Amino acid sequence: MQLAELLFWTGERIGDVRMRFREEVFVSRALRNPIIRGCPHCMLEHAADQPHPLRHVALRGDWLCRGVDICHQHLHPLVPL
């Protein structure tokens, strides 16, 4: 069940150049990028008040899409991690 949830949020390869991400099919280059980006505000919120903060920081699938340059929650530019 956890693996299915992880694939749902990170993309699952379904062919040579296709991926399924959140029940939609994308060309893999649209989702996979060698530069991993994220919102520092989201990551700080995930880690806040946790005894082991790095265990709670998570990447979000919507950060993977090319053309998505701003966090929709904080309206902050995504930064290379």
Side-chain angles (χ1 to χ4, degrees), residues 2-48:
Q2 290 177 339
L3 179 58
E5 184 72 12
L6 177 66
L7 291 174
F8 185 71
W9 284 99
T10 59
E12 177 181 12
R13 187 176 172 172
I14 58 172
D16 290 339
V17 295
R18 303 260 183 237
M19 298 187 76
R20 181 175 293 114
F21 173 65
R22 300 191 39 83
E23 301 178 5
E24 298 291 334
V25 175
F26 289 84
V27 175
S28 59
R29 290 183 187 162
L31 293 176
R32 299 294 187 205
N33 190 330
I35 300 171
I36 304 297
R37 299 174 306 149
C39 173
H41 297 287
C42 286
M43 296 176 84
L44 285 171
E45 286 177 5
H46 294 163

Side-chain angles (χ1 to χ4, degrees), residues 35-39 59 63-69 78-81:
I35 300 171
I36 304 297
R37 299 174 306 149
C39 173
L59 297 178
W63 297 343
L64 299 175
C65 295
R66 289 182 192 251
V68 175
D69 297 318
L78 299 181
V79 299
L81 302 176

